[in-house]
Amino acid sequence: MFSSLPESESMRQAGRVDTLAVFADERLDAFPDIPTAEEQTGEPWAAGTWRGLAGPEGLPEDVVTTLAEATQKVYESEEFQTFMTQRGFGIEWRGPEEFRQFMAEADKNNKEIIDKLGLAQ
């Protein structure tokens, strides 16, 4: 199964799962013992888990701005940075337009994979 490493770490430590690889260009600092997908297969592949806020189409711009500013404030806080880093999460801030573009690109890439696997309906 696919999972972010920090979220599966307790299962890994308990010996209930084995981690085969990380989908990153390089080994992760927080998990240096886990090889990359390219090391395991010879094929480069990087992907990751992402989180973001989304709202309905047509959300008023002042609401978007308020949410973005509040979210960025949390992201930049020492408490959030420490929490995420200590648990091995990679973090990256993207504002509303950057995140919108990221989601569109992710949808396009996921569609290609789903189509290649014959899973599209």
Side-chain angles (χ1 to χ4, degrees), residues 52-103:
L53 296 179
E57 189 173 351
L59 195 64
E61 196 57 38
D62 63 320
V63 174
V64 172
T65 299
T66 298
L67 289 171
E69 288 173 354
T71 305
Q72 187 171 9
K73 184 177 179 181
V74 170
Y75 170 83
E76 291 173 349
S77 72
E78 184 177 332
E79 182 180 5
F80 180 80
Q81 294 285 323
T82 300
F83 178 90
M84 297 299 278
T85 302
Q86 286 180 344
R87 286 156 182 80
F89 286 96
I91 53 176
E92 179 180 337
W93 170 258
R94 294 185 189 201
E97 187 53 38
E98 288 176 298
F99 190 63
R100 189 177 295 114
Q101 291 171 1
F102 170 79
M103 287 181 57

Side-chain angles (χ1 to χ4, degrees), residues 5 9 12 22 26-36 39:
L5 279 168
E9 183 58 9
R12 206 168 84 89
V22 295
E26 298 177 2
R27 289 187 183 210
L28 304 178
D29 290 341
F31 303 94
D33 60 316
I34 301 173
T36 66
E39 288 176 282

